[in-house]
Amino acid sequence: MVSTVKMPKSPPAWEDLPLSQAADSIDLDNIKTQLDLVLLSLEALAGIGSEEMLQAAAELNLDSMITDRVALWRLRQSNPLRKSSGGRKKLDVEEARSLVLIICHLAKNHQELIRRAVALLEQMTQQNSEPHRAAL
């Protein structure tokens, strides 16, 4: 008996996703800052280090873009709020996409912890307590 179930089309590869418009320099600086802050948040909240970020890059086949800790550090140095960002080449679209994919992968892996942290923050806010006084 032949199956009549239609398989869904595979989603387009992330490289094929079009950009709706080019970002200006202010937007790019904001993007670079936000990406670095989200990575920093994941590091602090879930105890994620560079090794886990590199492992995520390898799992996502991004190890050609982010080869080692130094490459990861250089990408993160594109944040204009970092004091030592002078001299770093600008973060390009492919590098930004790579960081977004890594962030999404890590956030998915630590979803339960992130949800607990958000719930605790909401609870502390409702009680007018200082959020930094609570521990997960």
Side-chain angles (χ1 to χ4, degrees):
M1 180 174 198
V2 177
S3 174
T4 59
V5 176
K6 293 183 179 179
M7 297 301 291
K9 292 181 181 178
S10 61
W14 65 274
E15 297 97 347
D16 298 334
L17 296 175
L19 294 175
S20 59
Q21 61 182 356
D24 62 14
S25 64
I26 294 172
D27 290 338
L28 288 174
D29 281 348
N30 288 336
I31 290 168
K32 291 182 258 185
T33 301
Q34 294 301 318
L35 289 174
D36 190 43
L37 289 174
V38 171
L39 281 171
L40 183 62
S41 301
L42 283 169
E43 283 177 319
L45 184 63
I48 295 171
S50 60
E51 195 59 41
E52 193 168 347
M53 290 180 201
L54 291 173
Q55 182 180 355
E59 291 172 8
L60 296 167
N61 296 323
L62 299 172
D63 41 4
S64 63
M65 181 78 62
I66 302 171
T67 55
D68 55 15
R69 284 188 176 109
V70 174
L72 178 63
W73 176 80
R74 284 183 177 150
L75 283 180
R76 295 189 66 188
Q77 287 302 106
S78 64
N79 177 354
L81 296 181
R82 286 186 180 244
K83 294 197 184 265
S84 61
S85 65
R88 164 66 176 114
K89 77 176 192 71
K90 301 296 183 196
L91 184 72
D92 66 24
V93 173
E94 296 306 314
E95 291 168 334
R97 284 182 176 179
S98 297
L99 287 177
V100 168
L101 287 171
I102 290 169
I103 288 167
C104 292
H105 182 78
L106 293 172
K108 181 181 174 189
N109 291 345
H110 297 280
Q111 184 177 175
E112 181 182 330
L113 180 61
I114 293 168
R115 289 180 185 273
R116 280 196 343 241
V118 170
L120 182 60
L121 176 63
E122 290 173 345
Q123 180 184 2
M124 297 295 289
T125 302
Q126 286 176 347
Q127 297 172 352
N128 292 326
S129 298
E130 296 173 335
H132 68 276
R133 301 248 182 232
L136 286 173

